[in-house]
Each structure stands twice: as structure tokens, then as C-alpha cells.
Amino acid sequence: MAGTDRRREMTTGGPAIILVEPQLGENIGMAARAMLNCGLVDLALVRPRDVWPNAKAVAMASGATIVLDQVRLFDDTASAVADLHKVYATTARPRDLTKRVITPRQAGQEMRQA
């Protein structure tokens, strides 16, 4: 059977996904679709470039409108993470920071333990 199993219980209470300055509505929609495939529904956006709500995000979400309907908008990253207890960050770009680096699997294990 292909597609999302809509009988699956959604995960509430975390983890939250926060996109900082996403540039395209399509990327937000694809993130929402991936989240729903994993049973996640808590999406926050920090200063999205394109207008929100965004029709292209809805089209790319391919049925994950439950995620998009609950999107929380923030003016800055500090506000977006203010109510969270633990935060993990990812980037595709090299950074000149000295931070602890772990794999997504390790992060998942730590989140489950917390």
C-alpha cells in the first residue's frame, strides 16, 4: 500500500520542527509532508520569505494540510525555541562553529531517552 497511513496516531508534544527563513513555499510543503509521514504535526516557521499561508506549500504538502493548518509563525529563532526543553539544529552548509556533532540516529535516541 502506498501513501500515508492516516490511521496512524499523530505525535503530539514533540518533537517540533522549526524552519528558519525558508525561502520557498514548496520546501515548507515538502517538510510538512515528510513530517506527517512520520506522525509529526508541530511545525514552526521563522520569517518565511514568501507570504504565508502559501498555495505552493499546500500543493507540495500533498494532503498534509493538518500540519500546515497548525503552523506557528515567529519573528526570530529565540522566540520559536523559547518553550522547548532541548533543541537540535541541522544545516547543509559548513559552519565555522565548534559544536558537538551527532548523527540523526543519535539525536533520535537522545530524544526518546529525554
Side-chain angles (χ1 to χ4, degrees):
M1 176 171 128
T4 301
D5 182 355
R6 301 206 187 282
R7 297 168 297 174
R8 184 176 181 182
E9 186 176 331
M10 298 300 116
T11 302
T12 57
I17 305 298
I18 302 169
L19 301 179
V20 178
E21 298 180 1
Q23 294 185 16
L24 300 172
E26 292 91 337
N27 291 344
I28 297 168
M30 286 187 280
R33 183 177 183 189
M35 287 174 62
L36 191 60
N37 283 340
C38 296
L40 304 174
V41 294
D42 188 1
L43 176 61
L45 304 177
V46 177
R47 291 183 313 276
R49 183 189 71 183
D50 294 345
V51 65
W52 190 261
N54 184 288
K56 291 181 179 179
V58 173
M60 291 303 290
S62 191
T65 54
I66 187 173
V67 176
L68 298 179
D69 291 343
Q70 301 179 80
V71 164
R72 297 174 295 128
L73 295 174
F74 293 93
D75 292 326
D76 56 72
T77 305
S79 298
V81 301
D83 65 339
L84 302 178
H85 301 286
K86 191 167 195 131
V87 176
Y88 293 87
T90 64
T91 182
R93 294 166 183 82
R95 303 290 186 199
D96 293 327
L97 301 172
T98 304
K99 298 284 181 188
R100 177 175 159 248
V101 177
I102 61 174
T103 67
R105 182 178 301 271
Q106 290 169 308
Q109 290 169 342
E110 286 183 12
M111 283 186 254
R112 284 190 184 275
Q113 289 173 353

